[in-house]
Amino acid sequence: MSDQHILDAATLKADEAALPSENWFERSETLAKLRKNKKFPTIWCSGCGIGIVMGALIRAIDHLGLDNNNVALVAGIGCTARMPVYMDFNTLHTTHGRALAFATGLKIARPDMKVIAIMGDGDALAIGGNHFIHAARRNLGITALVVNNSIYGMTGGQYSPTTPLGSKATTAPYGNIEPPFPVCQLAEAAGASYVARSTVYHALELDKFLTEAIAKDGFSVIEAVSYCHTTFGRLNKLGTAADMMRTLKDNSISQTVFQALSPEAKAANTKIVRGNFVNIDRPQYTQSYSNLITRVQAGMK
Ligand code: SF4
Ligand code: MG
């Protein structure tokens, strides 16, 4: 992508259709249709993985054939939480850690809508940690998309609930002494109906898991493992965005490969395991709530 294209996008006025056909936005009909091109360029650092997750989300929604007007994207605060700004759906940009709280209210008011809460690791699991476990426990029909880059990126590189033990952060200059949350295991233990993890290197796998998660009638969680080269990467001397992307490729294995390991090798595994870990059916909250209203209105106990 040339700088001229970025400048073109930045100065684009209301008429998105005026984009020249050779413009890079137009290469994908789906992306051109669902992005808010006039909001580009994004605020994200060049090379950040968040844009890859956004592409996967757009493709998943498009694959399911959902009407834009029937999809709501709800976000809190942070680099990841900027994602809905660039997408042409119903969007709520709310307060830090409260994406799932707002999403809960929206889903109960409009159970027919596909509600997707888009959160970073700090947003979802620190400030929003209570909302996360209780949305899973209730089995609300919401998809929680957690982009895990192991740090608070936007606010300056503070350690988050997923920062690995020993890693440096601006608030952990001698190394983090807190063990991280295993996001998928937390979601499973709290009661989520669908839980899967992939990385921004494995973009097509993210497409598939997101498609399944959004289609699920229950609380679904996608952990999209990404990286933040400008804070976490710099503080921990992990190289460029391309280096960190390569590490995701080299440092992850599929669930199938993991399952074939010996018990000793499984216990010693330090690589990211990618896969769909939970896919169960149990009563979805808004359906139970609707049943309750019907029962009470009918004068039954
Ligand atoms: Fe991405 Fe980190 Fe830059 Fe935020 S600060 S846009 S997470 S690289
Ligand atoms: Mg983060």
Side-chain angles (χ1 to χ4, degrees):
M1 181 200 327
S2 72
D3 286 346
Q4 189 54 44
H5 281 141
I6 294 173
L7 289 174
D8 285 345
T11 54
L12 192 66
K13 296 284 188 279
D15 189 3
E16 294 174 28
L19 281 166
S21 58
E22 70 274 18
N23 190 288
W24 63 279
F25 284 127
E26 299 296 317
R27 285 196 194 144
S28 159
E29 207 175 297
T30 305
L31 298 188
K33 190 170 63 180
L34 298 181
R35 284 172 173 171
K36 277 186 198 153
N37 289 351
K38 64 187 172 193
K39 295 287 185 187
F40 277 61
T42 70
I43 62 159
W44 299 319
C45 305
S46 180
C48 178
I50 294 173
I52 293 172
V53 183
M54 182 170 78
L57 179 59
I58 290 172
R59 287 188 294 273
I61 294 171
D62 190 56
H63 181 78
L64 289 168
L66 301 175
D67 178 354
N68 292 21
N69 294 319
N70 240 356
V71 176
L73 308 180
V74 187
I77 296 296
C79 295
T80 295
R82 294 289 293 194
M83 200 189 291
V85 171
Y86 308 114
M87 301 167 74
D88 193 13
F89 299 96
N90 300 287
T91 57
L92 278 175
H93 195 189
T94 72
T95 47
H96 210 178
R98 309 299 172 222
L100 279 170
F102 282 86
T104 297
L106 175 57
K107 184 67 185 179
I108 289 172
R110 287 287 307 273
D112 56 306
M113 286 191 92
K114 284 290 180 190
V115 179
I116 302 168
I118 302 171
M119 304 167 283
D121 39 283
D123 204 22
L125 300 165
I127 312 104
N130 255 339
H131 301 301
F132 186 82
I133 56 175
H134 292 293
R137 177 177 63 83
R138 292 174 179 139
N139 198 32
L140 268 156
I142 292 171
T143 296
L145 170 55
V146 182
V147 180
N148 182 5
N149 57 14
S150 310
I151 201 108
Y152 285 89
M154 181 181 272
T155 51
Q158 297 88 349
Y159 71 87
S160 83
T162 60
T163 302
L165 203 58
S167 294
K168 290 185 177 169
T170 50
T171 46
Y174 306 108
N176 179 27
I177 58 169
E178 300 180 14
F181 266 146
V183 180
C184 291
Q185 286 165 267
L186 178 68
E188 180 177 4
S193 287
Y194 183 96
V195 181
R197 170 170 54 219
S198 190
T199 83
V200 293
Y201 179 82
H202 305 85
L204 298 182
E205 195 172 66
L206 273 181
D207 289 15
K208 176 178 176 289
F209 290 155
L210 271 166
T211 304
E212 291 174 357
I214 295 166
K216 188 79 189 175
D217 187 25
F219 191 68
S220 54
V221 176
I222 297 293
E223 181 187 2
V225 182
S226 187
Y227 52 83
C228 175
H229 52 297
T230 54
T231 60
F232 188 83
R234 181 170 49 80
L235 289 164
N236 290 284
K237 298 187 171 36
L238 298 175
T240 64
D243 293 328
M244 294 187 78
M245 179 71 91
R246 203 170 294 115
T247 301
L248 288 180
K249 170 176 171 272
D250 297 338
N251 199 33
S252 67
I253 54 174
S254 72
Q255 193 187 16
T256 312
V257 171
F258 178 76
Q259 291 299 353
L261 297 176
S262 68
E264 298 75 29
K266 277 182 185 162
N269 176 56
T270 56
K271 294 192 172 184
I272 298 162
V273 180
R274 309 183 326 270
N276 170 211
F277 309 111
V278 179
N279 193 355
I280 57 168
D281 293 313
R282 66 185 190 90
Q284 197 265 110
Y285 185 86
T286 59
Q287 187 57 55
S288 302
Y289 192 63
S290 170
N291 293 346
L292 175 68
I293 290 170
T294 305
R295 188 159 55 87
V296 171
Q297 285 179 339
M300 295 168 62
K301 285 195 174 178

